[in-house]
Structures are given as C-alpha cells and as structure tokens.
Amino acid sequence: MRKEYLEIGEIVSTHGVKGEVRVQPWCDSPQFIRQFQTLYFDKEGKNAVNITACRSHGNVALLKLKGVDTPEEARALRGTVLFMRRADANLPEGSYFIQELLDCQVFDADTGVLYGAIHAVSPTGANDVWHIEKDGREYLLPAIREVIVSVDVAAGKIEIRPMKGIFDEAEYAD
C-alpha cells in the first residue's frame, strides 16, 4: 500500500565532533538519501528535521542535521529511525518501495484467485523473494518478470502468473 512516509534508515552512531550522525540506509544505497533536504523523526511527518549536509561513507550516510551541533546531541539520536516523504523521492515511473508492497493482495492474473498478501520481502541477490501469507501458510514467490504481471501499490493489488508448484496444495507422505 502506498504510504506517505517511509522508513529510510536508522541513526546508528555519531561521526566527528560537529554533531554528524551515521545513518544505516534502508534503501538501495547511501547515495539515495542525498536527494532529500528534509527527513522526519516520525511516520506521520509531524517532526521534520532539515539536512544541512549529506555524504556517503562506505555503506552508511553521514548527515549533518540542523540543530544537532555536538557529539552529545548526535549520540542522543542513536537508534532513531528516519522517515522520508514519498512525494520527495525521485523515482522512475512504475517504480515502488519494498515497504509499499507489504500488505498488497496477490491475485492470479488469469483466474482472479487470491493467493494472499505480501508480509515480507527477502533480497537474494539475483531477485527479491516475496513472502505471501494466506490462512497461516507462507508461500515464497520469486519477484521475476516471468511471474509478475502487474503491480499497483496505490490500489494494494498485484497480479501474477505463478510458476508451477508454488501454490500447489500437494500433500507429502511421511
């Protein structure tokens, strides 16, 4: 489901003596965070913080937040999750965030059968794997072009053509 504010990363430590924070990004790369001038301390967007400087440092982003000027002030933010406003993100048309897939309903593109809802996504390197849950059972679906027909996160609906065996209800003998 499309959300207005999405988690972008967590403040994991401080950096230097001027109040910079180290952010572990929960996005593709630390460079993605560089496009934002404002982030939020809450998922409702009520507690905004301006970014005065941002740079990549290995696999983390180093941020200088307005009003955070000492290592002590930065240390007090450790463990804080930062949120971005989705409308501020520069994404190509048809792209979406993993968080937006969560709770989307997955249907068969040909029959309309409901397979369940996505409750988790696992990156595997070659492709993501969507964890679909229905009636207490979990199914693993490879998120590949041959399987995914359409994704409409605004409507919370995904259509697929599953590979043989993924949703089969075969019983296995002991």
Side-chain angles (χ1 to χ4, degrees), residues 157-172:
K157 182 177 181 180
I158 296 171
E159 293 182 320
I160 65 168
R161 286 196 180 95
M163 301 166 94
K164 185 172 172 54
I166 293 177
F167 293 102
D168 293 345
E169 300 292 331
E171 296 286 329
Y172 297 99

Side-chain angles (χ1 to χ4, degrees), residues 49-126:
V49 62
N50 291 325
I51 300 170
T52 60
C54 177
R55 65 186 191 278
S56 300
H57 185 72
N59 64 346
V60 298
L62 300 179
L63 300 178
K64 179 68 177 89
L65 305 175
K66 186 174 184 177
V68 179
D69 299 312
T70 67
E72 293 77 22
E73 291 170 332
R75 192 173 303 113
L77 295 173
R78 187 170 186 245
T80 300
V81 174
L82 294 172
F83 294 81
M84 55 163 253
R85 188 169 154 244
R86 195 201 191 288
D88 295 340
N90 185 14
L91 281 184
E93 184 67 31
S95 296
Y96 46 83
F97 293 97
I98 289 174
Q99 293 174 60
E100 295 176 313
L101 294 173
L102 302 179
D103 298 324
C104 282
Q105 300 289 305
V106 180
F107 295 90
D108 189 291
D110 299 317
T111 66
V113 169
L114 173 64
Y115 290 120
I118 297 176
H119 75 91
V121 176
S122 297
T124 65

Side-chain angles (χ1 to χ4, degrees), residues 32-53:
F32 182 79
I33 296 174
R34 296 178 72 186
Q35 69 181 291
F36 298 97
Q37 296 177 352
T38 304
L39 292 176
Y40 303 86
F41 289 127
D42 61 288
K43 62 183 174 186
E44 292 85 25
K46 295 178 183 173
N47 194 359
V49 62
N50 291 325
I51 300 170
T52 60

